[in-house]
């Protein structure tokens, strides 16, 4: 407890990852009433540690502040214990097994990471939060072992929400990252390999001097400080990074298109997730993994459309989403024609434009509502479409992949020439 005379010792190194998980998990409870004072009872924080959590809470709750019209400036201040020394990097704990740990959430990105690591001959263990038939099926197809971890929120949180407490988006990837870190140390893995793409760096809207980014805890802006925090406070040899960071969502879509074994099980649709789980458990016929109504469905359909046949994409999504009139406003947002980028894990307007140009050049989805809109309103504004596609498909050099992995994955990234699709 801050100010408690007994809280004079730094927390033991073996507890450092649990303290980090505790503090990041607390964001779900903090947002209910935004208390003016934050009290930490589990440890004492140095200046650097407090600054890290200030950033995670402020930027990770950016969408929450924006939607609730809350002035967040100067609001979050984790307590710093006077005299708490900056810790020297702890000695590494020797991993007892070689496999890397790959969090899997059912979407295309983690499946692409899995297949890339396989091509690199890297042993893999999967990690999932909770259980789900979709992920069980994907693990079966991938023929990989899975660690399952259960997460339970306090019933009091739901009671507070029912009583009118503030609610909204939290940096769930930051929480998952800490869970993965704890699991890696418990089971002796040498690395946690995430599947976050460079498109996650692209924000949604400006608000009170800050770029609000729905995907902030998936961004490189989170990844690098998190790596440093692990190095300085937890284990100096444990690696955490995203293998897909150099790639756009469009490039990831092309890689996923090369893995048809996952076509019927992959889903990135949050809206349909709970319904799908119920239907699969009850073995109903309505078990399509995409709702066909949300921005993630619209964007995923778009970036897969140039690389998979029309018949197969429509079969995957259960409909031709380019002819869904109710999605036209969503496609306009994805293209940057109006509004702001949707608050979902979707890519940039340039990626959407590049994907539709590739479809146009292949004469795919001709006369669909979205293609007609694209050809009329967007295509005339693209001065050099081939350059646009190349920029979307060329891997970025701005990433945090360790050299030991980079040398193996770069040759696989070199295959990102869209003309080979």
């Amino acid at each position: 407890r801050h100010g408690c005379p007994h809280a004079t010792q730094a927390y033991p190194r073996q507890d450092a990852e649990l303290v980090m998980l505790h503090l990041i998990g607390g964001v779900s409870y903090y947002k209910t009433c935004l208390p003016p004072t934050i009290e930490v009872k589990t440890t004492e924080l140095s200046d650097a540690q407090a600054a890290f959590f200030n950033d995670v809470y402020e930027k990770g709750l950016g969408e929450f502040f924006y939607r609730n019209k809350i002035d967040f400036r100067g609001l979050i201040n984790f307590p710093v214990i006077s005299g708490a020394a900056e810790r020297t990097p702890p000695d590494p704990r020797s991993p007892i097994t070689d496999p890397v740990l790959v969090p899997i959430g059912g979407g295309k990105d983690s499946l692409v990471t899995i297949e890339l690591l396989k091509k690199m001959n890297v042993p893999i263990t999967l990690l999932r939060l909770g259980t789900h038939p979709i992920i069980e099926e994907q693990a079966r197809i991938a023929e990989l072992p899975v660690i399952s971890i259960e997460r339970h929120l306090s019933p009091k949180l739901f009671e507070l929400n029912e009583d009118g407490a503030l609610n909204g988006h939290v940096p769930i990837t930051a929480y998952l990252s800490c869970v993965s870190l704890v699991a890696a140390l418990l089971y002796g893995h040498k690395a946690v390999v995430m599947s976050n793409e460079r498109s996650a760096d692209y924000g949604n809207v400006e608000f009170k001097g800050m770029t609000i980014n729905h995907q902030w805890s998936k961004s490189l802006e989170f990844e690098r400080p998190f790596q440093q925090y692990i190095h300085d406070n937890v284990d100096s040899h444990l690696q955490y990074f995203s293998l897909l960071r150099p790639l756009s969502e469009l490039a990831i879509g092309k890689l996923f298109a090369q893995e048809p074994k996952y076509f019927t099980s992959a889903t990135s649709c949050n809206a349909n997730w709970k319904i799908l789980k119920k239907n699969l458990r009850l073995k109903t016929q309505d078990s399509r993994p995409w709702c066909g109504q949300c921005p993630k469905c619209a964007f995923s359909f778009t970036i897969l459309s140039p690389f998979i046949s029309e018949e197969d994409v429509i079969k995957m999504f259960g409909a031709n989403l380019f002819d869904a009139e109710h999605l036209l406003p969503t496609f306009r947002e994805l293209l940057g024609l109006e509004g702001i980028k949707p608050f979902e894990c979707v890519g940039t307007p340039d990626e959407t434009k590049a994907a539709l140009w590739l479809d146009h050049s292949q004469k795919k989805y001709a006369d669909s509502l979205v293609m007609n809109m694209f050809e009329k309103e967007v295509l005339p504004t693209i001065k050099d479409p081939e350059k646009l596609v190349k920029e979307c498909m060329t891997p970025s050099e701005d990433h945090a992949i360790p050299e030991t992995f980079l040398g193996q994955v770069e040759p696989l990234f070199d295959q990102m020439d869209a003309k080979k699709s």
Side-chain angles (χ1 to χ4, degrees), residues 382-396:
I382 303 176
K383 295 181 179 179
D384 190 342
E386 292 189 353
K387 180 182 178 181
L388 174 66
V389 171
K390 183 177 180 180
E391 288 173 349
C392 289
M393 300 301 290
T394 301
S396 169

Side-chain angles (χ1 to χ4, degrees), residues 249-268:
E249 283 274 28
L250 185 62
I252 294 169
K254 183 188 178 186
L255 288 175
F256 177 76
Q258 298 168 13
E259 305 296 339
K261 60 187 176 184
Y262 294 118
F263 283 3
T264 59
S265 65
T267 178
S268 300

Side-chain angles (χ1 to χ4, degrees), residues 295-401:
K296 288 195 77 169
C297 283
F299 181 74
S300 298
F301 187 99
T302 303
I303 61 168
L304 293 176
S305 62
F307 310 118
I308 302 176
S309 71
E310 290 187 52
E311 179 183 359
D312 285 342
V313 174
I314 291 171
K315 183 179 179 181
M316 287 170 61
F317 287 81
N320 180 359
L321 300 192
F322 284 168
D323 259 336
E325 189 170 359
H326 66 279
L327 284 175
L328 284 177
T330 298
F331 280 109
R332 296 184 68 83
E333 291 176 344
L334 292 171
L335 285 163
L337 293 176
E338 60 184 44
I340 63 173
K341 177 187 170 187
F343 282 114
E344 285 277 10
C345 295
V346 297
T348 68
D350 277 353
E351 290 175 72
T352 306
K353 294 174 184 177
L356 288 171
W357 183 82
L358 286 171
D359 284 332
H360 166 80
S361 66
Q362 298 174 59
K363 296 180 171 53
K364 297 173 74 173
Y365 301 97
D367 296 324
S368 66
L369 294 175
V370 169
M371 188 55 66
N372 285 339
M373 177 183 67
F374 171 77
E375 292 173 345
K376 180 181 178 181
E377 299 185 47
V378 181
L379 185 57
T381 69
I382 303 176
K383 295 181 179 179
D384 190 342
E386 292 189 353
K387 180 182 178 181
L388 174 66
V389 171
K390 183 177 180 180
E391 288 173 349
C392 289
M393 300 301 290
T394 301
S396 169
E397 296 181 0
D398 193 13
H399 57 76
I401 302 174

